[in-house]
Amino acid sequence: MTRLYNRVALIGLGLIAGSMALAMKRAGLAGEIVGTARSAETRAIAAEIGLCDRIVDTSVEAVKGADLVVLCVPVGAMEAVARDIAPHLMPGCTVSDVGSVKRAVIDAVGPHLPETTHFVPAHPLAGTEHSGPRAGFAELFENRWCLLVPSEGTPDAPIANLRALWEGMGANVDEMEADHHDLVLAVTSHTPHLIAYTMVGVADDLRRVTDSEVIKYSAAGFRDFTRIAASDPTMWRDVFLSNKEATLEILGRFTEELFALQRAIRTGDGEHLFDYFTRTRAIRRSIIEAGQDTEAPDFGRGSKKT
Ligand code: NAP
């Protein structure tokens, strides 16, 4: 057990903060974990299930005496939280976040923070479609990447300490520049979510025509889309509004590829389809080899009727 921080304040108590609290507790990484959330209901649930050592009513109260403050709210809410807590931050403390977009968060939060604090933005590449304080679990970050996005001039010590925290929670840690992060995530996460939302939306429209058969005979391909499309609407609205440029760039490329496949189907160009699917199959293999997913058929669902 290595205690890295004396007091960690978690602002927002959903899937990510909840998982952090449990993972930090499991590894003894923090002396005390203080949490707060916007609604009394979430705070009451967090207190009931013992998510943190202490649950307080406001962000201002939470950050008092904390040597690490982590913003775990939707990207669009980060600036308001930063403005509220800024005058109450302990000099020398580290402020971090877990937002899925980095440039917009850095621009929104950075200017509010006092110079006596260190801002080390972060993004754990781990999640589920569930949200809220009951959704967290200590193993969420195990063998997943966490990307740190410190700005130039940030001293080494606060970065190294935050790295150790994420490693202590089971993550592999890398550093990345903010714009590059947003482009990479537009490819690996943001655009795929938008495509899943669209596919499920199309199927829902069709359901009205096919008398619920889309639901009844839901096959693996569609079911996997529905899992992704069940993700939190607030979080994902904020992701697209704040990673506009990169998402639109990748969507443009996606549309071009889709048109090419559409054309191949129309013209009966089987070779094009076969080559394309062979290439994509190899990508799936490399993801499994990198330990980023399981090889279990049907995503480990087995014969369970879901
Ligand atoms: P979540 O489960 O929906 O929890 C969000 C928390 O933020 C809740 O405690 C909520 O409080 C609070 N909150 C919402 N709006 C707020 C506001 N305007 N002011 C203050 N607090 C507010 O979300 P999450 O999945 O943990 O996501 C949190 C952050 O992690 C987001 O920035 C997201 O982009 C990022 N992230 C998510 C994933 C993922 O897969 N879920 C993965 C990596 C990173 P109430 O419950 O009281 O409303």
Side-chain angles (χ1 to χ4, degrees), residues 11-18 36-43 59 71-78 80-81 97-101 123-133 135 193 231-232 234-236 239:
I11 316 293
L13 290 170
L15 168 72
I16 301 296
T36 191
R38 175 178 55 171
S39 70
E41 191 193 348
T42 297
R43 296 195 299 269
S59 309
L71 311 183
C72 305
V73 298
V75 168
M78 299 260 182
V81 173
D97 76 295
V98 293
S100 305
V101 177
H123 179 202
L125 308 189
T128 72
E129 67 279 24
H130 301 296
S131 46
H193 270 80
S231 300
D232 187 68
T234 306
M235 170 186 157
W236 284 97
V239 165

Side-chain angles (χ1 to χ4, degrees), residues 4 27 45 52 67 72 84 89 99 114 135 156 169 192 251 259 266 271 275 286 290:
L4 297 166
I45 295 170
C52 301
D67 45 1
C72 305
D84 280 357
L89 293 167
D156 291 342
M169 291 191 286
L251 263 182
F259 279 143
R266 193 188 311 285
E271 203 179 327
D275 289 350
S286 45

Side-chain angles (χ1 to χ4, degrees), residues 244-265:
K244 206 180 266 187
E245 239 172 77
T247 311
L248 291 177
E249 162 68 20
I250 301 305
L251 263 182
R253 286 168 185 247
F254 174 81
T255 314
E256 284 171 22
E257 297 277 316
L258 192 64
F259 279 143
L261 290 174
Q262 195 176 347
R263 188 160 181 276
I265 294 171

Side-chain angles (χ1 to χ4, degrees), residues 103-119:
R103 174 60 63 202
V105 169
I106 290 168
D107 290 351
V109 170
H112 295 285
L113 302 180
E115 276 181 18
T116 52
T117 62
H118 307 294
F119 185 28

Side-chain angles (χ1 to χ4, degrees), residues 239-304:
V239 165
F240 293 118
L241 293 181
S242 56
N243 197 18
K244 206 180 266 187
E245 239 172 77
T247 311
L248 291 177
E249 162 68 20
I250 301 305
L251 263 182
R253 286 168 185 247
F254 174 81
T255 314
E256 284 171 22
E257 297 277 316
L258 192 64
F259 279 143
L261 290 174
Q262 195 176 347
R263 188 160 181 276
I265 294 171
R266 193 188 311 285
T267 59
D269 186 351
E271 203 179 327
H272 180 96
L273 296 174
F274 187 84
D275 289 350
Y276 203 92
F277 301 158
T278 304
R279 185 153 66 89
T280 54
R281 184 180 229 189
I283 292 174
R284 169 78 190 152
R285 180 125 304 277
S286 45
I287 289 173
I288 291 166
E289 276 162 16
Q292 293 296 301
D293 206 350
T294 161
E295 199 165 13
D298 203 13
F299 293 85
R301 257 187 231 108
S303 57
K304 259 189 295 168

